[in-house]
Amino acid sequence: MVITGRLRVQILILIMLIASTERTFAKLEQGETTEAIEEENNELEPMVISRGPYFVKSASKNVTAIVGKTAHLSCQIKNLGDRTVSWIRHRDLHLLTVGRSTYTSDQRFVSIHNHHSDDWTLQVRYTQRRDSGIYECQVSTTPPIGHSMYLSVIEPVTTVLGGPEMFINRGSTMNLTCIVQHSPEPPPSIFWTHNSQEINYDSPRGGVSVITEKGEITVSYLLVQRAKDSDSGKYTCNPTTANPASVVVHVLNG
């Protein structure tokens, strides 16, 4: 096989990227934190700036994403010139993208870059828990320079207190409490269903209301006054950014 000059350069870039990543990974295994490595990189930044490309580190943040949603890791590079930008996953030292090309069979990973922009973004679609970890944006200088950030993929937990079954007396007030935890931000909305039908709080039945308190832990209260036999059944709390949770209510005579 004839190795062209361009292919030789690409092979050299790949070797340098892997070598740089292995050094960073070794530091992490020895107990160094990403902050310590970042501080070391900061000390070298004046030299990086003087010889060419450098990272705008304030534009790159750790990212928290919800399972199944899309995550974006941002990397801003000044004075890039004709160098190549690559994204590497530290967990297995896997080269994900080079330039705007994806170098992995996992097509959930996409490199996004607009011409004349300093921003290089790694898009991770349909995130999974196993995607959590350190990702590095690298530039093909000699030696390569890199900037690492952490992606945390979490799965919010929804719980209806008192489940899976509740028993209440006819004529009493039914109070169903739904709790959403471990979400990077409160769900935009929560709706309740009764036997798979969305509850209409303005229905002729009356006496049905909901109170939702948003925060690090979001709580939604469904209140049904003067419970009667027809109020028995399956109630489901449906946050827009988390899995639903249900409880079966039995209205008892007396």
Side-chain angles (χ1 to χ4, degrees), residues 57-73:
K57 294 172 183 174
S58 60
S60 300
K61 305 291 185 182
N62 293 335
V63 174
T64 300
I66 296 176
V67 168
K69 303 298 182 180
T70 299
H72 293 91
L73 300 175

Side-chain angles (χ1 to χ4, degrees), residues 194-251:
H194 177 214
N195 294 331
S196 301
Q197 298 294 317
E198 186 169 354
I199 295 175
N200 179 5
Y201 305 111
D202 298 321
S203 68
R205 185 222 183 275
V208 180
S209 60
V210 66
I211 301 171
T212 300
E213 299 174 350
K214 295 185 178 182
E216 290 187 10
I217 297 177
T218 295
V219 183
S220 181
Y221 304 94
L222 176 66
L223 304 174
V224 181
Q225 299 178 10
R226 301 179 301 278
K228 49 189 178 181
D229 293 344
S230 59
D231 294 324
S232 294
K234 181 180 179 181
Y235 288 82
T236 303
C237 171
N238 299 273
T240 52
T241 55
N243 291 328
S246 300
V247 62
V248 176
V249 175
H250 303 274
V251 178

Side-chain angles (χ1 to χ4, degrees), residues 14-237:
L14 181 58
I15 292 173
M16 290 189 297
L17 290 175
I18 293 174
S20 175
T21 301
E22 287 178 339
R23 287 195 297 271
T24 302
F25 193 62
K27 292 178 182 178
L28 291 169
E29 285 187 328
Q30 292 169 5
E32 287 195 42
T33 63
T34 54
E35 290 79 6
I37 297 173
E38 182 86 6
E39 184 176 344
E40 180 179 326
N41 290 337
N42 285 338
E43 293 175 357
L44 297 175
E45 186 163 304
M47 291 187 291
V48 173
I49 294 174
S50 65
R51 69 170 181 251
Y54 65 95
F55 297 99
V56 181
K57 294 172 183 174
S58 60
S60 300
K61 305 291 185 182
N62 293 335
V63 174
T64 300
I66 296 176
V67 168
K69 303 298 182 180
T70 299
H72 293 91
L73 300 175
S74 298
C75 183
Q76 190 175 110
I77 307 165
K78 297 290 187 181
N79 300 340
L80 180 62
D82 59 356
R83 279 83 168 187
T84 302
V85 177
S86 302
W87 283 94
I88 293 177
R89 181 174 58 204
H90 275 217
R91 170 167 57 86
D92 51 6
L93 298 181
H94 197 89
L95 180 63
L96 300 173
T97 66
V98 176
R100 289 193 291 183
S101 300
T102 299
Y103 266 60
T104 174
S105 59
D106 190 342
Q107 295 300 306
R108 297 180 304 121
F109 294 92
V110 177
S111 177
I112 300 174
H113 173 67
N114 294 322
H115 197 50
H116 300 308
S117 168
D118 295 326
D119 297 321
W120 291 81
T121 300
L122 178 66
Q123 181 187 75
V124 188
R125 295 177 292 190
Y126 309 110
T127 53
Q128 304 169 13
R129 292 291 295 272
R130 64 184 178 87
D131 293 325
S132 294
I134 298 172
Y135 292 79
E136 184 172 346
C137 171
Q138 286 194 350
V139 177
S140 61
T141 51
T142 305
I145 58 173
H147 177 57
S148 298
M149 58 207 75
Y150 194 89
L151 171 63
S152 177
V153 181
I154 62 175
E155 186 168 11
V157 177
T158 308
T159 307
V160 177
L161 300 183
E165 292 187 290
M166 290 180 62
F167 300 86
I168 65 171
N169 293 324
R170 181 194 296 176
S172 62
T173 297
M174 181 194 310
N175 183 352
L176 303 183
T177 302
C178 174
I179 298 177
V180 182
Q181 304 178 78
H182 311 309
S183 180
E185 58 185 22
S189 64
I190 296 177
F191 67 94
W192 288 83
T193 61
H194 177 214
N195 294 331
S196 301
Q197 298 294 317
E198 186 169 354
I199 295 175
N200 179 5
Y201 305 111
D202 298 321
S203 68
R205 185 222 183 275
V208 180
S209 60
V210 66
I211 301 171
T212 300
E213 299 174 350
K214 295 185 178 182
E216 290 187 10
I217 297 177
T218 295
V219 183
S220 181
Y221 304 94
L222 176 66
L223 304 174
V224 181
Q225 299 178 10
R226 301 179 301 278
K228 49 189 178 181
D229 293 344
S230 59
D231 294 324
S232 294
K234 181 180 179 181
Y235 288 82
T236 303
C237 171

